[in-house]
Amino acid sequence: MNQIKKLLIIGFVWPEPKSSAAGGRMMQLISIFKENGFEITFASAAQDSDFMVDLFEFGVIKKNIELNSSSFDDFVAELNPDVVLFDRFMIEEQFGWRVVEKCPKAIRVLDTEDLHCLRTARQKAFKENRIFELEDLLSEEVAKREIASILRCDVSLIISEFEMSILKDVFKINEDLLFYLPFLVDEMKEGDLLELPSFEKRNDFVFIGNFLHEPNWNTVQYLKEAIWPSIKKDFPEAVLKVYGAYPSQKVLQLHQPKNGFYIMGRAEDANEIVKNAKVVLAPIRFGAGLKGKLLEAMQCGTPSITTSVGSEAMYANLPWNGFIEDDPAEFAKKAIELYQDENLWKQSQKNGIEIINKCYQKKDYLEKLISLTNSLLIDSKSHRLHNFMGNLLQHHAFKSTMYMSKWIEAKNK
């Protein structure tokens, strides 16, 4: 009889799939490992939130842990997981050395979510009003930490093909340490569009995104200041509804019904909202990873307009399900065209289905991920032996992080 394999996920936050794409991604990973017979424990030092999922419902054990506390050492030693998945590099920095010390045989997997160094470097270039260059990454402080974390792990899950190429070409990371895993969804057929609200039954432009995420807040400001005035001028009856979890006072102050600009706050059911909207607007100016909101739009049969950063690595150069436009005046013009032209709108829907079926099929990735995990479980020794840079970093980071953490723990006492 096969022994049950144990997976420990250490979360940056508790999963909130209705609040962010990151929460949805985490639930996908949980279901993949669950379906493949893993017993899962999800641990986090984050505060519980009103919107987190009930992990118990998904057959996952929930464990509250503390930062800089040797209580984690006792917990992880007793659990003795076969695989440990770190949710973002900051979590690997915090807990990775403890896992290595107490469970040296456990396979260490990093889910990067997106490359934080790419997002940070782009944001910096944007704020300094200059064009982002790939070389910017080499001097980015976050890059040094993030790349070190990737090297210390046995494998890192990378959500974007563009980020895969950055890691291989700019940072010269061995392909054996990387696994491309985009968002995963079920196949769609053109007939599925008949189940969705028709062109005539839909109304309004919509934007949706978690406001704790800086690129989303910037996008809404950009919409309000640079794009919406042009749309409203040429299409006076236009309405834009902006949804998102955790809106700050600054966000709420943009609510201007007289101008057709509505801040709606948290979406109870994002799917329902996007399904009934006519067009998704997402003029994203900086960021990284894949945009869950744009994939969701395709699944809901809702055409979208975004920028080259928004669409990056999302569509395998197939026709977009709407338009990709970086110029604000053109963006506004194309938004009106997509909203009013039924034939163009319907063709954009079909483009979305083609992208979903070409780029995001579960069946294309599930088996490979589980097969990789199993092969690492069988022979991690050889894999690690050939990751000399990772071993080197593990050796030095172990000492520095360990002593810093032990100092904080002693200070807290």
Side-chain angles (χ1 to χ4, degrees):
M1 186 175 151
N2 285 344
Q3 189 188 351
I4 291 175
K5 289 170 287 193
K6 287 191 273 191
L7 166 67
L8 168 63
I9 300 174
I10 310 177
F12 181 67
V13 291
W14 300 105
E16 289 187 27
K18 288 189 175 178
S19 300
S20 71
R25 158 84 160 187
M26 181 51 76
M27 294 312 293
Q28 281 186 347
L29 289 172
I30 286 172
S31 75
I32 289 168
F33 283 101
K34 197 80 192 148
E35 283 164 21
N36 283 277
F38 280 79
E39 183 184 277
I40 304 175
T41 300
F42 193 106
S44 180
Q47 296 288 315
D48 285 12
S49 83
D50 294 340
F51 303 101
M52 61 193 262
V53 296
D54 182 353
L55 290 164
F56 181 74
E57 274 185 22
F58 293 87
V60 174
I61 300 157
K62 176 180 180 285
K63 172 73 178 172
N64 292 77
I65 52 176
E66 291 176 39
L67 296 172
N68 304 306
S69 169
S70 52
S71 61
F72 177 83
D73 303 350
D74 301 333
F75 154 68
V76 80
E78 190 183 338
L79 181 67
N80 194 22
D82 300 284
V83 181
V84 178
L85 188 146
F86 302 102
D87 171 24
R88 297 167 240 212
F89 80 90
M90 304 80 88
I91 291 299
E92 188 278 335
E93 283 181 330
Q94 258 314 322
F95 295 99
W97 66 271
R98 293 182 183 275
V99 170
V100 170
E101 188 178 41
K102 298 297 174 186
C103 307
K105 289 184 177 171
I107 301 306
R108 300 183 301 277
V109 181
L110 173 65
D111 184 30
T112 55
E113 291 289 355
D114 59 28
L115 277 187
H116 290 64
C117 59
L118 176 61
R119 178 154 32 98
T120 307
R122 273 189 172 146
Q123 189 169 339
K124 204 174 277 183
F126 171 77
K127 289 192 169 164
E128 291 168 5
N129 201 21
R130 60 182 173 78
I131 292 170
F132 163 76
E133 306 278 355
L134 282 177
E135 276 204 348
D136 294 347
L137 293 166
L138 296 172
S139 56
E140 187 53 58
E141 196 59 36
V142 176
K144 297 177 178 74
R145 292 170 55 198
E146 190 165 26
I147 298 306
S149 183
I150 288 170
L151 286 167
R152 283 193 298 265
C153 288
D154 294 309
V155 69
S156 292
L157 308 180
I158 311 299
I159 203 166
S160 147
E161 286 182 312
F162 179 63
E163 293 177 11
M164 283 288 279
S165 68
I166 284 175
L167 291 168
K168 288 187 281 190
D169 303 338
V170 178
F171 293 112
K172 313 297 181 198
I173 290 181
N174 187 325
E175 204 165 351
D176 290 350
L177 299 178
L178 309 172
F179 183 80
Y180 172 57
L181 190 71
F183 292 125
L184 303 176
V185 299
D186 293 318
E187 191 178 357
M188 271 186 90
K189 297 183 172 62
E190 280 194 21
D192 295 339
L193 294 173
L194 301 172
E195 308 291 315
L196 296 164
S198 63
F199 177 84
E200 298 80 13
K201 291 198 173 143
R202 294 178 181 235
N203 291 297
D204 307 332
F205 293 101
V206 74
F207 171 82
I208 199 156
N210 184 325
F211 286 109
L212 295 178
H213 193 55
E214 180 69 24
N216 287 335
W217 161 231
N218 181 271
T219 298
V220 173
Q221 285 175 296
Y222 185 45
L223 271 168
K224 183 78 165 66
E225 292 157 16
I227 292 170
W228 191 246
S230 301
I231 292 177
K232 200 69 181 157
K233 179 172 163 286
D234 293 333
F235 183 19
E237 58 271 40
V239 166
L240 169 62
K241 292 181 175 172
V242 174
Y243 290 87
Y246 305 106
S248 65
Q249 201 48 46
K250 283 190 299 186
V251 177
L252 298 171
Q253 280 169 355
L254 298 182
H255 184 62
Q256 207 175 31
K258 275 196 303 190
N259 201 25
F261 199 96
Y262 292 81
I263 302 292
M264 309 296 290
R266 177 182 287 274
E268 282 310 308
D269 186 343
N271 208 270
E272 204 54 37
I273 284 155
V274 176
K275 220 159 61 176
N276 287 288
K278 197 165 264 186
V279 173
V280 166
L281 302 182
I284 297 159
R285 291 190 284 184
F286 55 84
L290 300 181
K291 310 300 176 285
K293 59 177 75 56
L294 295 174
L295 179 59
E296 181 177 52
M298 294 177 207
Q299 289 177 286
C300 292
T302 310
S304 66
I305 308 188
T306 189
T307 55
S308 47
V309 169
S311 64
E312 181 179 272
M314 283 202 71
Y315 61 111
N317 293 324
L318 293 164
W320 187 252
N321 75 317
F323 293 106
I324 297 166
E325 185 53 69
D326 290 322
D327 178 74
E330 277 300 305
F331 191 102
K333 204 169 111 186
K334 294 279 201 285
I336 296 169
E337 190 185 340
L338 191 53
Y339 194 102
Q340 294 177 336
D341 184 334
E342 187 173 352
N343 290 333
L344 173 64
W345 189 89
K346 285 179 171 171
Q347 183 54 51
S348 299
Q349 273 193 325
K350 289 174 186 171
N351 294 350
I353 287 180
E354 196 183 350
I355 293 169
I356 284 171
N357 293 342
K358 175 83 191 280
C359 305
Y360 302 100
Q361 285 311 291
K362 277 183 189 173
K363 63 182 185 321
D364 296 340
Y365 299 97
L366 293 198
E367 218 171 277
K368 289 179 191 166
L369 175 61
I370 296 303
S371 165
L372 171 67
T373 308
N374 288 334
S375 70
L376 286 170
L377 283 166
I378 292 163
D379 186 16
S380 61
K381 201 172 175 184
S382 164
H383 180 80
R384 287 174 179 172
L385 185 66
H386 291 94
N387 180 15
F388 181 76
M389 290 305 291
N391 292 327
L392 183 86
L393 286 164
Q394 193 69 260
H395 173 77
H396 289 287
F398 197 102
K399 299 284 185 283
S400 59
T401 334
M402 175 173 72
Y403 288 118
M404 170 61 86
S405 191
K406 285 184 183 296
W407 177 78
I408 292 169
E409 185 177 9
K411 189 166 160 280
N412 289 343
K413 282 177 183 170

